[in-house]
Amino acid sequence: MKVQEIYNLAINKGIEADFRGKEGVEKLLKRRKEKYEKLSEKEKEEFDLESFKNPYLDSRVYHIAEDREIKRVLVGIDIEPAEILMAKEISGIDLVIAHHPIGRGLAHLADVMDLQCDVLNFYGVPINIAEGLMKERIDEVARGVNRLNHQRTVDAAKLLGQNLINSHTPCDNLAAKYLKDLIEKENPERIGDLMDLLKKIPEYREAVKIGAGPKIFVGSEENRCGKISLAEITGGTEPSPKIYEKIAQAGIGTIIGMHMGEESRKEAETSNLNIVIAGHMSSDSLGMNLFLDELEKKGIEIIPCSGLIRIKRA
Ligand SMILES: [Fe+2]
């Protein structure tokens, strides 16, 4: 496989696992195109044309130094210039794959957060409330990433002649779908049962060994789960703290997330929600692994780095 084929595979896998379904994603892409048609020539020049075919603008091809057949990849959760240098030191690395966005993908992180409106709606939060509260948060995230040094890692890849891509939301979608299917199948009654279930997943089991396993942020093992939401596993980053009251009103009892800030935790506590934080690197690893298994099937060798807990399933 070549770089673009690997990237396309990630996007397609992400669409397959998307909460909105294939039709929902196609509708979104069509809407973007219609919006583009209405723009002035000047606005069209600045428009990101990739958004017509890619629903996940936080996932990109950053640099193709040499468009060769890919046999060996270095994959990490966060890729910085240090990892690009590492790729040079380890012999025969054809491509570096990051999970978290860099470069243009990082600048567009807020663009994928729309997905959360649909996911929250899927869990019963009225769409107007989800959109209202998310809009505020999306703008905040967009301003937050604005100040960053987006191109730092991309520049390193260009200088050292390294192929570089990332897959963020597509892989988070895979993790969310995996957890959703497992929870629907096992239907844990109490938070303790849910914790036991999560700890059976090898990525979380490994994380437990280094003290980064699943944690109960709000609630106790004895609490009943009620309806479990996976709205926070995918969709860019954390939502607005104001959403928790609405999620509770929508009939959700427990939220499984990757990470959660203190303000959100307090809001969730006030709303009597149970919060289980599965773990950040481990949850990101789960989603990446489900994609990387596909690459291994094609004969590509995976070398994990930068927090990736590599577990092979297939
Ligand atoms: Fe992450």
Side-chain angles (χ1 to χ4, degrees):
M1 290 178 99
K2 291 200 169 176
V3 177
Q4 193 66 44
E5 288 170 315
I6 291 173
Y7 174 79
N8 292 347
L9 179 67
I11 299 296
N12 289 335
K13 284 263 139 204
I15 294 174
E16 273 174 31
D18 200 295
F19 269 94
R20 297 168 290 197
K22 210 169 177 208
E23 311 76 62
V25 172
E26 271 162 15
K27 230 161 104 184
L28 166 98
L29 297 178
K30 199 172 148 237
R31 230 181 99 73
R32 282 184 186 164
K33 191 140 201 197
E34 285 165 2
K35 265 175 132 177
Y36 172 79
E37 305 296 347
K38 288 185 193 138
L39 295 178
S40 70
E41 284 311 311
K42 210 172 155 200
E43 286 166 323
K44 277 183 182 168
E45 270 174 37
E46 285 187 16
F47 197 87
D48 189 352
L49 294 174
E50 201 183 308
S51 69
F52 295 157
K53 54 181 185 345
N54 176 7
Y56 316 114
L57 294 177
D58 64 349
S59 303
R60 304 275 181 154
V61 173
Y62 299 103
H63 186 56
I64 301 182
E66 196 193 327
D67 198 13
R68 59 180 182 263
E69 203 53 38
I70 306 299
K71 297 188 192 84
R72 208 167 192 221
V73 294
L74 183 71
V75 191
I77 304 299
D78 294 291
I79 297 295
E80 295 189 343
E83 280 76 19
I84 301 292
L85 261 172
M86 269 165 53
K88 273 274 154 202
E89 289 291 313
I90 305 166
S91 70
I93 299 292
D94 300 303
L95 169 67
V96 179
I97 307 179
H99 175 59
H100 286 145
I102 39 188
R104 205 175 185 189
L106 180 57
H108 282 85
L109 174 64
D111 286 32
V112 295
M113 293 179 72
D114 265 349
L115 166 60
Q116 286 191 47
C117 296
D118 292 279
V119 181
L120 286 163
N121 188 232
F122 171 87
Y123 283 111
V125 178
I127 193 67
N128 54 311
I129 292 176
E131 282 184 344
L133 289 176
M134 282 309 297
K135 174 151 194 344
E136 200 181 293
R137 177 70 180 132
I138 289 169
D139 291 345
E140 189 181 293
V141 171
R143 285 192 298 270
V145 294
N146 189 274
R147 68 186 162 85
L148 302 174
N149 186 353
H150 305 94
Q151 286 297 94
R152 189 177 175 204
T153 304
V154 181
D155 287 341
K158 285 179 179 168
L159 275 170
L160 294 177
Q162 190 63 64
N163 295 330
L164 176 65
I165 65 170
N166 91 301
S167 171
H168 187 225
T169 293
C171 289
D172 285 349
N173 279 355
L174 290 173
K177 172 91 170 38
Y178 181 92
L179 291 171
K180 184 171 169 283
D181 290 349
L182 182 74
I183 283 158
E184 280 172 5
K185 187 170 150 251
E186 302 290 331
N187 197 20
E189 191 194 352
R190 294 183 191 261
I191 296 297
D193 303 326
L194 173 61
M195 291 292 282
D196 289 344
L197 183 63
L198 288 176
K199 286 177 188 174
K200 278 188 195 149
I201 298 173
E203 285 83 351
Y204 296 131
R205 215 164 44 222
E206 282 303 311
V208 168
K209 292 181 193 165
I210 58 152
K215 302 260 187 318
I216 303 170
F217 267 38
V218 182
S220 75
E221 289 203 347
E222 281 303 303
N223 286 6
R224 274 172 287 192
C225 299
K227 206 170 158 196
I228 300 172
S229 156
L230 291 149
E232 292 196 19
I233 298 292
T234 191
T237 186
E238 293 176 26
S240 160
K242 293 178 196 161
I243 203 77
Y244 296 100
E245 187 195 347
K246 309 294 176 195
I247 292 177
Q249 283 166 357
I252 296 295
T254 299
I255 293 177
I256 303 179
M258 282 201 201
H259 42 82
M260 180 176 274
E262 212 36 37
E263 198 187 340
S264 293
R265 198 198 67 81
K266 282 179 189 150
E267 288 294 328
E269 194 165 41
T270 310
S271 301
N272 293 302
L273 285 162
N274 297 306
I275 302 291
V276 170
I277 295 303
H280 190 187
M281 294 306 117
S282 45
S283 301
D284 280 343
S285 294
L286 170 62
M288 286 298 274
N289 283 330
L290 295 168
F291 161 58
L292 294 172
D293 285 345
E294 299 298 315
L295 298 189
E296 265 202 3
K297 276 187 216 160
K298 309 256 182 202
I300 294 170
E301 186 191 349
I302 313 290
I303 299 184
C305 74
S306 182
L308 175 69
I309 306 163
R310 173 71 186 134
I311 306 283
K312 186 176 164 180
R313 279 184 175 74

